Amino acid sequence: MFVKILVWPDLLRYAISLNNKSLLFYIWSVLTAAYFLISLVEQMMWRLNFFVVFCCIVLNNSYMLYYICPMHTLFTLMVYGALGILNKYNEIGSVIAVKIIACFLVVILVWEIPGVFELLWSPFTFFLG
């Protein structure tokens, strides 16, 4: 439900601003990764993370207390990055399969091989506590 709250305002705003294109066509083009607007990602990341960071500051809590927010942020950026690399080939099934396998291997590399996670996230320890 929260994902719908975060994404649908952008979809509706951009769909309303389009001339001579239906809302359904616009939503289909977004979902099929026809283009990658960094502004959409920035706005979604802002809405996803701002309130959590605000709550952490006001309540003096660790950011990792709200683990679902950094988890969604990380995997959203990972999927966006994977689909953004050579995005003109995303309609080819074998390319998507390679990208899925590459994401799977990155997850295995980061979380299953000892020391990689600590090395990768050590610059962020001041923030993640």
Side-chain angles (χ1 to χ4, degrees):
M1 184 162 123
F2 290 116
V3 173
K4 290 179 185 177
I5 291 170
L6 293 171
V7 174
W8 282 106
D10 287 333
L11 290 176
L12 291 176
R13 187 180 72 235
Y14 283 109
I16 290 169
S17 69
L18 294 175
N19 296 330
N20 301 326
K21 289 188 179 178
S22 70
L23 175 62
L24 204 54
F25 175 77
Y26 177 75
I27 292 172
W28 176 253
S29 67
V30 169
L31 294 178
T32 57
Y35 60 93
F36 291 85
L37 291 177
I38 193 69
S39 62
L40 285 176
V41 175
E42 289 172 350
Q43 290 169 7
M44 187 176 72
M45 290 296 119
W46 172 256
R47 282 193 307 267
L48 181 65
N49 291 299
F50 173 74
F51 187 66
V52 172
V53 171
F54 179 74
C55 285
C56 289
I57 293 169
V58 170
L59 299 173
N60 197 23
N61 286 331
S62 170
Y63 187 62
M64 290 309 294
L65 182 64
Y66 306 96
Y67 69 93
I68 198 76
C69 183
M71 184 178 72
H72 280 198
T73 300
L74 176 68
F75 285 107
T76 299
L77 292 175
M78 187 173 90
V79 169
Y80 183 80
L83 290 176
I85 297 171
L86 300 173
N87 64 349
K88 60 184 174 184
Y89 301 111
N90 282 350
E91 295 179 10
I92 302 170
S94 59
V95 172
I96 292 296
V98 168
K99 288 182 178 189
I100 291 172
I101 291 168
C103 287
F104 184 70
L105 292 175
V106 165
V107 169
I108 289 174
L109 173 76
V110 171
W111 279 278
E112 296 298 326
I113 297 176
V116 175
F117 180 83
E118 290 80 12
L119 179 68
L120 184 66
W121 295 106
S122 61
F124 303 107
T125 55
F126 73 95
F127 184 67
L128 300 175

